[in-house]
């Protein structure tokens, strides 16, 4: 899952900043485009799950890479 | 959007620590697509000042984690509140917690509605010019107009 249209580095940021920054980044994308997010806040794992469930955007990937949390979100509409 | 969820928050506290919940919840709810209004009343009005000079205190708050045990009388000494505030701000910064001004701006960008309680503005002789731009003024009835059909209402 290496393809994405935009990347957001939310490292070092704490709740709710990763979500707020991601929301902003997603609104600048077109439907179907993918945002990749890198975060260090352990709470962001559950938070991005909940964010996608409520906003209807698709969580393509949620994992760990080099001690950081990585997410890919596909904009729905 | 007719099915848009609504969140109503009443912000009543004017300390550095208690300033966070209203702004964190409001900005997050807005990011999730909620229509949000915060009604600021009594000490909560401090959160609307252009220049925030909020402080924390451990007095009357035995739940506050302290770096070392300290008798209450010592905590009441002059300068202790300023010192605790400095320590709390440093701690928040080191942990990547957002600044209050930043969260407040994010709320406004996301069109969270800020309403100041007119009665308490008058009671404390506050100057509306000291408040940030975009604040509306109203009373309890205005709060209920929004909260009456909100999906959740929080008193903070």
């Amino acid at each position: 899952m290496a393809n994405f249209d935009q990347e957001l580095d939310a490292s070092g940021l704490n709740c709710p900043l990763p979500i707020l920054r991601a929301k902003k980044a997603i609104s600048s994308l077109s439907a179907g485009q993918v945002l990749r997010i890198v975060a260090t806040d352990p709470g962001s794992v559950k938070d991005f799950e909940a964010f996608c469930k409520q906003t209807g955007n698709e969580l393509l990937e949620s994992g760990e890479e080099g001690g950081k949390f990585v997410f890919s979100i596909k904009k729905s509409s | 959007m007719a099915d848009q969820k609504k969140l109503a928050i009443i912000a009543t506290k004017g300390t550095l620590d208690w300033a966070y919940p209203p702004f964190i919840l409001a900005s997050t709810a807005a990011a999730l697509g909620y229509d949000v209004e915060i009604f600021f009343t009594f000490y909560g009005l401090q959160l609307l000042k252009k220049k925030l000079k909020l402080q924390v205190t451990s007095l009357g708050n035995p739940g506050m984690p302290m770096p070392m045990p300290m008798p209450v009388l010592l905590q009441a000494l002059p300068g202790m509140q300023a010192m605790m505030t400095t320590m709390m701000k440093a701690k928040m910064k080191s942990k990547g917690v957002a600044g209050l001004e930043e969260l407040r701006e994010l709320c406004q960008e996301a069109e969270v509605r800020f309403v100041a309680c007119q009665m308490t503005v008058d009671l404390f002789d506050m100057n509306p010019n000291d408040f940030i731009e975009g604040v509306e003024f109203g009373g309890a009835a205005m709060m209920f107009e929004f909260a009456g059909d909100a999906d959740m209402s929080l008193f903070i």
Side-chain angles (χ1 to χ4, degrees):
Chain A
M1 192 61 70
N3 285 344
F4 53 88
D5 300 283
Q6 199 182 322
E7 190 173 36
L8 171 71
D9 184 9
S11 303
L13 299 180
N14 225 318
C15 173
L17 288 178
I19 292 286
L20 300 184
R21 297 271 164 88
K23 159 78 184 173
K24 215 176 202 178
I26 288 171
S27 47
S28 70
L29 296 179
S30 331
Q33 286 191 309
V34 174
L35 175 72
R36 181 183 141 98
I37 302 146
V38 181
T40 49
D41 170 20
S44 61
V45 177
K46 290 280 180 195
D47 258 10
F48 275 112
E49 225 174 83
F51 172 78
C52 288
K53 217 180 269 175
Q54 290 173 84
T55 53
N57 296 300
E58 193 183 342
L59 187 61
L60 299 175
E61 180 204 10
S62 170
E64 266 188 85
E65 233 174 69
K68 294 189 173 186
F69 304 100
V70 182
F71 312 92
S72 294
I73 296 176
K74 185 174 167 187
K75 183 169 180 168
S76 61
S77 58
Chain B
M1 233 195 311
D3 60 347
Q4 190 178 24
K5 287 196 177 185
K6 279 185 171 189
L7 167 67
I9 297 176
I10 304 178
T12 64
K13 295 188 176 64
T15 56
L16 175 67
D17 44 353
W18 280 100
Y20 275 91
F23 289 138
I24 288 182
L25 296 173
S27 56
T28 304
L32 294 172
Y34 281 66
D35 185 12
V36 187
E37 180 177 300
I38 311 178
F39 185 75
F40 298 86
T41 186
F42 278 79
Y43 318 107
L45 289 171
Q46 301 293 350
L47 313 188
L48 292 174
K49 296 256 180 89
K50 278 177 197 148
K51 192 89 197 106
L52 293 173
K53 289 184 203 133
L54 306 176
Q55 299 212 303
V56 282
T57 178
S58 58
L59 295 174
N61 181 10
M64 181 175 286
M66 301 281 269
M68 68 201 92
M70 197 186 284
V72 171
L73 272 175
L74 243 138
Q75 295 171 27
L77 289 178
M80 285 302 286
Q81 187 170 302
M83 193 186 88
M84 279 176 202
T85 301
T86 306
M87 283 168 72
M88 176 71 92
K89 281 186 176 168
K91 181 128 192 128
M92 284 172 160
K93 201 166 186 185
S94 76
K95 299 268 185 183
V97 174
L100 278 174
E101 277 97 344
E102 183 185 6
L103 278 178
R104 188 171 68 175
E105 265 168 43
L106 289 166
C107 283
Q108 289 200 295
E109 268 175 40
E111 292 176 0
V112 171
R113 201 167 162 215
F114 290 169
V115 180
C117 168
Q118 183 71 61
M119 186 277 279
T120 28
V121 169
D122 294 342
L123 172 68
F124 296 137
D125 293 318
M126 289 175 127
N127 183 352
N129 293 328
D130 294 338
F131 292 159
I132 50 170
E133 298 284 315
V135 174
E136 295 169 62
F137 294 82
M142 184 171 168
M143 196 270 146
F144 279 108
E145 189 187 2
F146 183 87
D149 58 2
D151 299 271
M152 22 179 138
S153 299
L154 305 175
F155 182 90
I156 300 175

